[in-house]
Amino acid sequence: MTLKSKDLVSVEQLEEREIERLFMLTGKIKRNRRLYRRALDGAVLALIFEKPSLRTRFTFETGIYELGGTGIYLGRDEIRLGTRETIYDAAKNIERWAHGAVIRTFSHRNVQAFASSCRIPVINGLDDLLHPCQALTDLFTLKERKGPLKRLTVAWVGDGNNVLHSLMWASAKTGVTLKAAVPEGYEPDPYISETATGYAAARGTSISIVREAGLAVEGADAVYTDVWTSMGKEAEAEVRRGVFFPFRVDAGLMRRAKPDAIFMHCLPAHRGEEVTDELIDAPYSVVFDQAENRLHLQKALLLLLLKKGPKE
Ligand code: CP
Ligand code: NVA
């Protein structure tokens, strides 16, 4: 079992069948965390992080360790992608030592450049445009809670950001209906909107953008939000607090979703800003399941990308 693409730079690279396979393996690993504990025996993964992280770093390091490999963490002051040396040169060095790389950085082009410069699998651990590991984990979590994805509707409330972009492609490819409420001027990327809408239409579902939180949430199976100010956009925080205030997710808004709807957030959350404490701590909140599942899904992804046979 492998993936067609060498890398996971974006969800757009994956076929629906591959996502299904990834979810099946994720479930198997989740049921028995000790499976495949020698599968990455002797493998070294470079973990290049130019932005902060709790979940992504911890789950990749733990996952690599649990599969028998080693992760080498390179923080923002070490590589300085494209500044200390070219991205091409950094990638050409790393491919001589490592069997794979995870990159979290600002520019999406830098992730693409790194991946196309080397022979080893490269996983996008978040950039300004995309967060594929998050969105895939989110749909795995949704399926775990609510069953077959093709019957489900997710409401996104907030910024047209990296998490939404990946969620649009992941939803479109798996048959989830997605309704995103975003304020004017904060819409998702036009290329992603157009392609995701196309993939969804081919499956008889839809990806739509609305202007009011209530319109997106009405009748939804899951309500998803994220911070109003993503990493790297801190200078806009004050302006964004004003713009996004009507998009806060609280109990009143949640009541407009289905009675058994779940609340989702990729975390970190700014409690009291995009979401109230009451919601994030509610029994229907799955935010910590999402965080846990990052570990299981990324272990499955590592196995599929590094093409190691499942030696138990
Ligand atoms: N959700 C997520 O990617 O969290 P971190 O930024 O802590 O890695
Ligand atoms: N949109 C957020 C996600 C953090 C996991 C950010 O980019 O900061």
Side-chain angles (χ1 to χ4, degrees):
M1 277 206 311
T2 56
L3 300 179
K4 272 194 188 158
S5 166
K6 171 178 83 72
D7 309 298
L8 181 70
V9 169
S10 105
V11 176
E12 198 188 13
Q13 297 172 286
L14 296 177
E15 292 173 1
E16 182 174 8
R17 279 184 308 116
E18 293 180 316
I19 299 176
E20 280 167 9
R21 221 182 291 157
L22 175 67
F23 286 0
M24 266 168 55
L25 187 56
T26 303
K28 189 174 174 192
I29 289 170
K30 182 167 183 173
R31 288 189 292 278
N32 182 359
R33 199 163 150 179
R34 288 172 60 79
L35 275 181
Y36 309 126
R37 59 186 195 277
R38 287 198 300 277
L40 296 191
D41 214 1
V44 173
L45 276 288
L47 304 172
I48 302 164
F49 278 67
E50 297 199 306
K51 288 182 180 180
S53 171
L54 169 63
R55 281 146 289 273
T56 306
R57 177 178 177 181
F58 204 103
T59 51
F60 269 111
E61 286 207 23
T62 305
I64 293 163
Y65 170 77
E66 289 184 357
L67 295 173
T70 302
I72 306 280
Y73 180 80
L74 298 156
R76 56 177 292 174
D77 294 326
E78 275 135 332
I79 291 205
R80 287 188 274 133
L81 277 179
T83 310
R84 190 161 177 264
E85 59 194 309
T86 63
I87 291 173
Y88 178 83
D89 286 351
K92 285 310 220 195
N93 277 264
I94 288 174
E95 74 173 8
R96 297 295 179 105
W97 311 314
H99 303 85
V102 178
I103 304 191
R104 166 169 289 200
T105 189
F106 294 85
S107 155
H108 178 59
R109 281 179 194 280
N110 286 358
V111 179
Q112 288 174 316
F114 190 96
S116 61
S117 301
C118 63
R119 294 184 305 259
I120 57 174
V122 174
I123 299 174
N124 184 347
L126 177 147
D127 61 36
D128 288 344
L129 190 71
L130 302 175
H131 197 0
C133 298
Q134 183 68 54
L136 290 167
T137 304
D138 297 335
L139 293 193
F140 174 84
T141 309
L142 181 66
K143 189 170 182 220
E144 192 176 40
R145 285 295 180 127
K146 294 270 163 215
L149 292 175
K150 292 187 173 63
R151 286 195 237 116
L152 303 175
T153 300
V154 173
W156 173 274
V157 181
D159 193 13
N161 67 13
N162 44 8
V163 176
L164 175 60
H165 287 149
S166 290
L167 200 62
M168 286 166 80
W169 270 332
S171 299
K173 294 207 168 202
T174 56
V176 171
T177 298
L178 181 69
K179 291 184 194 166
V182 298
E184 217 176 318
Y186 295 86
E187 294 85 0
D189 175 84
Y191 170 78
I192 298 175
S193 289
E194 202 183 304
T195 49
T197 306
Y199 298 140
R203 282 170 182 78
T205 59
S206 64
I207 307 285
S208 53
I209 308 294
V210 295
R211 290 287 172 220
E212 256 181 66
L215 291 178
V217 167
E218 206 73 62
D221 297 283
V223 178
Y224 197 141
T225 192
D226 184 13
V227 289
W228 293 340
T229 303
S230 285
M231 291 180 279
K233 295 196 162 43
E234 289 77 8
E236 300 172 21
E238 199 49 51
V239 173
R240 283 171 170 265
R241 265 194 284 277
V243 173
F244 284 97
F245 187 75
F247 292 79
R248 163 174 298 173
V249 180
D250 59 15
L253 184 64
M254 198 70 198
R255 272 195 289 277
R256 297 180 64 174
K258 282 199 182 144
D260 61 350
I262 56 173
F263 171 73
M264 306 182 80
H265 194 307
C266 57
L267 304 178
H270 291 166
R271 287 168 176 259
E273 271 196 15
E274 75 275 5
V275 59
T276 56
D277 278 330
E278 185 191 5
L279 239 72
I280 210 163
D281 298 325
Y284 51 79
S285 164
V286 299
V287 301
F288 301 118
D289 294 321
Q290 291 171 263
E292 179 191 329
N293 287 338
R294 292 287 302 278
L295 171 66
H296 310 304
L297 182 123
Q298 289 161 193
K299 282 172 76 177
L301 186 62
L302 287 166
L303 289 173
L304 294 179
L305 281 176
L306 293 174
K307 301 179 174 66
K308 297 276 176 174
K311 277 184 268 162
E312 281 163 36

